[in-house]
Amino acid sequence: MNQEAPILKTEGLKISYGSTPAINGISIEIRPNRVTAVIGPSGCGKSTLLRTFNRMNDFIPNIKTEGQVWFRGQNMFHPKVDPVNIRKHVGMVFQRPNPFPKSIYKNITWGPTIHSYAGNLDELVEKSLKRAALWDEVKSRLHDSAFDLSGGQQQRLCIARTIAMNPDVILMDEPCSALDPKATARIEDLIGELRSRYTIVIVTHNMQQAARISDETLFLYEGNLIESGKTKALFTNPTKQQTEDYITGRFG
Amino acid sequence: MNTWRYRRQALFLWMCRALTLLALIILGSLILHIAKEGVSTLSLDFLHRFPSRFPHKAGLKSALYGTLWIMCLTALIAVPFGIATAIYLEEYSTKNRFSRWIQINITNLAGIPSIVYGLLGLTVFVRYLNMGQSLWAGALTLSLLVLPIIVIASQEAIRAVPNPIREAGYALGAHPWQVILCQVVPAALPGIMTGVILALSRAIGESAPLIMIGALSYVAFVPEGPGDAFTVLPVQIFNWASRPQVSFHAIAASGIIVLLCVLFTMNLIAVLIRHKFQRYK
């Protein structure tokens, strides 16, 4: 279908928490500059899969990862690979907005600063906030606490913070689940604007959302990849019965 | 039915109010009593005089300087060790039998009577390490005494920092030490400060362990370095209060007022620091 080289790729990825399997052998390819949605019922391994791509699973004790994961052709789990380096290029936005208890300005500059960013920080803040569609709302109060913002604004700040690192990939773990419909719509618009610059992988519970914003969709069920492909095709013409049952709301 | 429930609620509320009021009255009358007895002998001169066997000539210059020295040295020793221990236990150590054992021991240490620390200080610092009756020996002994308090309070403050903050740090490609130093500790600092001030407030009032290691009650000089002999306010107050002459009791009360003022200033500083870091809550 696509000739482009995948930016992220897994082969026979198996993950288990202790003796509980979470993902049983998934092989997928994620292409650059697209929005890829990962859908599936609760506990199907969506978040676990997502957290593999920036090795956030490393912090969970007793987790076992088998199989291969490549980022730009590099084996992510090679013993010589530093996960810190991967996370510089693969950013993440979490389920609940989690700004640092600092000013809006410092929330954005902290990441670049610890990686000894050489450019102008003021410009970086402005650029990141503009890309996250938050600049106009906060430009007059950059040094106020990030907690003074609304939930939706906080989440856009978290996206701006991720953008400031100039990542290749942005992982989003149900970024709208804690937000109201209006704030959700703003984030969805934003994702549409960001797709030209970044590769976005978004986990979502909300199938309408996946259909609205993504180019490609992966459907996971009980740790297995059931179906994947172009979002339009998958939603209008699913090839598997399970996919059809899920997207028509028969279960999940 | 319902009226009874409301009445019970009101009763409980009034009970709480009455007990709070009672505590305040007791505290207030104590302070009033001290003030009545001590204010007349309190003067700037009182702070500038050395102790004397004549009450009207006695002052607490040496004790005041001794207390300031001891508090600074104790804070310098106990705070870094306490916070570092808390960081290690909360952020780095794996939760196993060994770390649980350490935890239990720290909790137990917080409950040990101060005189026991005095004995330890006398044996280890004064005698074995040959520090003599110096400020070092006193500060190290008090550091041991307050270390568990600082560790426990700091641990609780660090534990209260929400995990998503750590995750956010890691997701930006930060190393663990960067997340801990730049995000976790600043977020926990108000709680840590509360623990530090609680610990130092305890240290400032301790006399037993310092008497044990040989803090003198008659010091007619100001310590010039941490190797000098010293006395502290509570020891000086104790000494005056235990004399038979009534006029010494008055200057003991004045000493208590000074001690309370020092304590109050310390607390004020802590509140200001806490406030500065709480701006972004």
Side-chain angles (χ1 to χ4, degrees):
Chain A
M1 246 186 346
N2 282 301
Q3 281 81 43
E4 285 168 281
I7 187 161
L8 285 164
K9 187 175 155 186
T10 71
E11 216 170 86
L13 179 68
K14 271 189 193 174
I15 299 175
S16 54
Y17 299 104
S19 56
T20 323
I23 286 180
N24 327 308
I26 288 187
S27 303
I28 52 165
E29 293 187 347
I30 287 167
R31 302 193 180 278
N33 296 92
R34 305 246 151 98
V35 177
T36 305
V38 185
I39 60 168
S42 301
C44 70
K46 303 185 296 276
S47 289
T48 308
L49 176 68
L50 196 73
R51 286 166 156 264
T52 315
F53 294 139
N54 63 347
R55 288 191 53 177
M56 283 300 273
N57 285 335
D58 288 18
F59 298 106
I60 299 165
N62 297 325
I63 197 166
K64 211 170 117 206
T65 309
E66 288 169 90
Q68 313 279 325
V69 184
W70 285 279
F71 170 59
R72 292 193 176 288
Q74 182 189 35
N75 183 352
M76 247 192 205
F77 285 87
H78 190 277
K80 278 198 180 144
V81 170
D82 186 356
V84 166
N85 248 326
I86 289 181
R87 294 187 199 118
K88 276 193 233 172
H89 301 287
V90 183
M92 189 169 214
V93 177
F94 295 84
Q95 208 162 335
R96 294 184 164 276
N98 56 349
F100 298 125
K102 297 186 187 305
S103 68
I104 295 168
Y105 187 91
K106 281 203 174 141
N107 258 280
I108 292 171
T109 55
W110 187 69
T113 310
I114 58 168
H115 296 111
S116 31
Y117 179 74
N120 183 325
L121 284 175
D122 291 345
E123 282 169 22
L124 179 73
V125 168
E126 182 173 346
K127 192 178 81 180
S128 309
L129 284 171
K130 274 184 175 158
R131 283 201 188 155
L134 189 60
W135 174 251
D136 290 330
E137 292 158 64
V138 301
K139 63 183 170 194
S140 59
R141 48 177 177 145
L142 289 175
H143 296 281
D144 285 4
S145 168
F147 289 128
D148 293 346
L149 301 174
S150 71
Q153 288 173 325
Q154 285 185 18
Q155 193 64 303
R156 273 179 282 146
L157 177 65
C158 293
I159 293 174
R161 176 174 74 184
T162 308
I163 290 172
M165 292 291 295
N166 198 22
D168 299 317
V169 182
I170 301 177
L171 307 172
M172 297 187 174
D173 190 356
E174 300 188 40
C176 304
S177 65
L179 305 180
D180 61 58
K182 211 172 153 193
T184 301
R186 294 217 59 170
I187 302 263
E188 286 184 11
D189 291 345
L190 177 59
I191 291 170
E193 287 159 30
L194 292 175
R195 73 166 54 148
S196 60
R197 271 178 226 272
Y198 310 98
T199 306
I200 295 172
V201 186
I202 179 168
V203 160
T204 177
H205 251 109
N206 181 331
M207 276 169 293
Q208 286 75 30
Q209 185 174 62
R212 276 195 301 267
I213 62 174
S214 69
D215 305 298
E216 309 205 14
T217 299
L218 309 170
F219 172 54
L220 262 54
Y221 183 63
E222 290 186 342
N224 297 305
L225 179 71
I226 305 297
E227 193 169 343
S228 67
K230 294 258 183 240
T231 300
K232 217 173 234 169
L234 190 134
F235 274 90
T236 51
N237 204 4
T239 53
K240 298 269 171 52
Q241 187 60 44
Q242 264 172 315
T243 315
E244 190 176 339
D245 288 350
Y246 183 69
I247 59 178
T248 52
R250 228 165 281 174
F251 77 96
Chain B
M1 270 304 274
N2 258 344
T3 30
W4 170 227
R5 194 182 298 161
Y6 284 128
R7 241 178 242 165
R8 243 183 345 183
Q9 182 141 329
L11 193 73
F12 182 69
L13 179 68
W14 279 105
M15 205 174 73
C16 290
R17 272 187 192 157
L19 288 175
T20 311
L21 202 68
L22 187 69
L24 284 176
I25 288 170
I26 293 173
L27 189 68
S29 59
L30 270 174
I31 291 176
L32 211 69
H33 176 72
I34 294 292
K36 217 162 63 189
E37 201 165 329
V39 150
S40 58
T41 44
L42 194 65
S43 64
L44 263 182
D45 219 30
F46 180 64
L47 304 179
H48 282 300
R49 283 193 305 248
F50 287 111
S52 160
R53 61 200 170 89
F54 305 107
H56 64 277
K57 280 189 190 166
L60 39 63
K61 185 171 187 184
S62 50
L64 187 58
Y65 275 82
T67 285
L68 293 178
W69 266 102
I70 280 279
M71 291 323 292
C72 290
L73 286 177
T74 304
L76 230 54
I77 299 163
V79 172
F81 274 101
I83 297 177
T85 308
I87 290 174
Y88 174 74
L89 287 174
E90 284 305 309
E91 299 287 322
Y92 286 107
S93 80
T94 43
K95 302 277 168 274
N96 55 26
R97 206 177 262 193
F98 179 65
S99 63
R100 265 201 302 279
W101 183 76
I102 290 183
Q103 191 68 60
I104 290 171
N105 274 292
I106 289 176
T107 318
N108 281 340
L109 283 176
I112 286 179
S114 56
I115 191 82
V116 178
Y117 285 101
L119 277 167
L120 181 77
L122 180 66
T123 316
V124 177
F125 302 128
V126 179
R127 300 254 169 85
Y128 184 72
L129 294 175
N130 247 330
M131 290 177 179
Q133 299 160 349
S134 65
L135 282 163
W136 273 130
L140 283 166
T141 306
L142 285 186
S143 298
L144 288 182
L145 177 77
V146 299
L147 203 55
I149 307 175
I150 296 180
V151 172
I152 292 169
S154 305
Q155 270 187 297
E156 271 163 21
I158 289 170
R159 215 176 300 144
V161 175
N163 226 13
I165 296 210
R166 293 182 184 87
E167 287 195 319
Y170 289 125
L172 288 171
H175 290 279
W177 69 269
Q178 290 170 321
V179 173
I180 292 168
L181 230 55
C182 307
Q183 300 299 345
V184 176
V185 171
L189 210 58
I192 294 176
M193 283 309 299
T194 309
V196 166
I197 207 64
L198 218 68
L200 292 183
S201 303
R202 171 152 185 215
I204 201 175
E206 280 295 344
S207 54
L210 294 178
I211 291 175
M212 199 71 199
I213 66 156
L216 311 168
S217 54
Y218 180 80
V219 176
F221 57 86
V222 168
E224 278 169 3
D228 289 352
F230 68 100
T231 189
V232 289
L233 288 170
V235 172
Q236 185 68 67
I237 291 164
F238 173 70
N239 176 271
W240 283 334
S242 55
R243 294 197 185 200
Q245 298 98 316
V246 180
S247 35
F248 270 114
H249 297 173
I251 57 171
S254 309
I256 290 172
I257 296 173
V258 174
L259 182 63
L260 286 176
C261 288
V262 175
L263 192 65
F264 184 74
T265 314
M266 265 168 49
N267 276 298
L268 192 73
I269 294 169
V271 168
L272 288 177
I273 295 176
R274 205 160 53 195
H275 185 74
K276 181 173 152 44
F277 280 91
Q278 244 167 358
R279 241 179 22 181
Y280 292 126
K281 272 282 154 177

